[in-house]
Amino acid sequence: MAQRQVVEDALQQAAEHGRVCALAAQGQRDLQRCLAAHPDLFAEGPFDGALTSSIALAIAFSAPWCEAAELRLTNRAVLWGFALDWQVDRLATSAVALDRLVRQQLLVADGAAATTDDPLGHLLADLLADLAAEPAFAELGGAWRAAARRTLHAMRQEWQWKTAMRDNLQPRPTLTEYLNNADNLACTVVNVVHWIRTGGADTEAGLNRLVLASDAVQRALRLVNDLSTYERDLRWDDLNAIMLVEDRAVVEQELARLVTEATDLLGELRADCPREAAYLTRQLGYTTGFYRSTDFWGVS
């Protein structure tokens, strides 16, 4: 009887994993349609099936209780974050070009139409149109715009730091300054999209606390990412936390502290916002496990 129970439990667990992967497969198909709808933005670069699959899997395992339709905007928000990161880190060739890019995205986030020469803005405008159709947007749209502004300014700040360091114009930022700029990871801006689409009354009431917890998770994931992608960042001439300290162990110790800080906040949230706290907890755990073996970007 005990052996039979073990087999049945294994079957149920595998079936649940299969269901979540099917949820991710539906998300990936939608993301592939999004790539096809924006050929000027995704004509080149690392936006392939592996990237869209990785995005969809991350979101499906973070919120496995959702239906595919509920995760569509979250997935597309992640894709916008990756596209923005690529434009800033890999394609922006001057401060003038970067300022123009950020200014265009800020205008679109505030409701302006994207210009004809702004494919990234068109992607954001499509996302915003779908987001604004959600009932919760009337109450929470301001929080999303604030998160989008923080993300855009943080990506510009990182570009300025790395350019100034490369040209020996200023010293590198401290680890604290770097972590205070963790919105360049674009996690919280995605999470606010997710809560606008899937949250209830408890989400609206607790959004400020949710954003604080999301920011704590975001800081931890900034270091999870950096510890896993240091060699790639050296090749790409990108900024990485390990470059800012004397010993990699300092970053590892700071990550342990940030994980403790985040989990404490999530524990406090669980009573009032159980599903949202579970989403952030799973996001932190899944992404940590993912980066132990691979990276979202597939280019060398």
Side-chain angles (χ1 to χ4, degrees):
M1 193 69 179
Q3 289 181 337
R4 181 176 181 181
Q5 187 61 53
V6 169
V7 172
E8 289 179 353
D9 289 347
L11 285 171
Q12 290 178 359
Q13 185 180 52
E16 174 61 11
H17 290 166
R19 186 192 66 80
V20 177
C21 288
L23 185 64
Q26 293 175 77
Q28 182 185 5
R29 291 186 182 113
D30 178 72
L31 287 176
Q32 290 296 134
R33 289 191 290 270
C34 187
L35 296 187
H38 297 274
D40 292 343
L41 183 60
F42 299 117
E44 298 178 357
F47 298 95
D48 58 5
L51 178 64
T52 55
S53 173
S54 297
I55 291 171
L57 281 165
I59 298 305
F61 274 95
S62 294
W65 47 80
C66 288
E67 300 295 331
E70 294 179 292
L71 298 182
R72 175 178 174 273
L73 289 184
T74 312
N75 285 328
R76 289 192 171 212
V78 177
L79 183 63
W80 173 76
F82 272 96
L84 172 63
D85 186 49
W86 185 258
Q87 293 275 325
V88 172
D89 279 354
R90 309 300 295 162
L91 301 183
T93 56
S94 69
V96 171
L98 178 62
D99 287 344
R100 181 172 183 269
L101 172 69
V102 170
R103 184 170 60 253
Q104 287 177 320
Q105 302 312 299
L106 288 170
L107 288 171
V108 173
D110 283 336
T115 60
T116 56
D117 62 343
D118 181 17
L120 183 62
H122 282 282
L123 177 64
L124 180 58
D126 287 351
L127 174 67
L128 179 56
D130 289 341
L131 194 61
E134 296 296 325
F137 187 81
E139 182 70 25
L140 304 182
W144 175 78
R145 287 191 167 98
R149 285 193 293 271
R150 286 198 298 159
T151 295
L152 286 159
H153 290 311
M155 287 197 180
R156 175 165 56 187
Q157 177 64 79
E158 183 184 23
W159 187 94
Q160 290 170 341
W161 276 335
K162 104 179 156 180
T163 303
M165 287 168 56
R166 181 194 65 202
D167 298 337
N168 294 316
L169 296 177
Q170 69 179 49
R172 60 189 62 188
T174 65
L175 183 59
T176 298
E177 290 171 332
Y178 180 76
L179 288 170
N180 286 340
N181 198 55
D183 280 294
N184 68 337
L185 201 61
C187 284
T188 293
V189 68
V190 168
N191 293 339
V192 176
V193 167
H194 181 71
W195 293 323
I196 289 173
R197 177 63 182 86
T198 65
D202 56 342
T203 305
E204 295 184 20
L207 186 67
N208 290 338
R209 293 173 65 202
L210 286 172
V211 168
L212 286 175
S214 176
D215 285 349
V217 169
Q218 183 173 243
R219 287 190 291 273
L221 290 180
R222 176 69 278 171
L223 296 189
V224 167
N225 177 290
D226 285 4
L227 286 165
S228 301
T229 62
Y230 176 63
E231 297 298 331
R232 188 205 67 196
D233 288 338
L234 285 176
R235 293 193 304 272
W236 283 14
D237 194 27
D238 273 352
L239 196 58
N240 184 296
I242 298 172
M243 302 172 186
L244 309 179
V245 296
E246 295 297 326
D247 189 337
R248 178 189 180 99
V250 173
V251 177
E252 294 170 341
Q253 293 164 5
E254 181 64 11
L255 172 58
R257 187 190 71 79
L258 291 174
V259 170
T260 298
E261 177 184 278
T263 52
D264 286 346
L265 286 172
L266 292 171
E268 294 169 6
L269 273 174
R270 220 163 256 121
D272 299 326
C273 304
R275 193 167 73 163
E276 290 77 11
Y279 165 78
L280 288 173
T281 302
R282 292 178 67 89
Q283 182 182 83
L284 177 57
Y286 178 91
T287 309
T288 300
F290 181 89
Y291 273 116
R292 286 175 183 160
S293 299
T294 190
D295 183 12
F296 283 90
W297 293 122
V299 291
S300 60

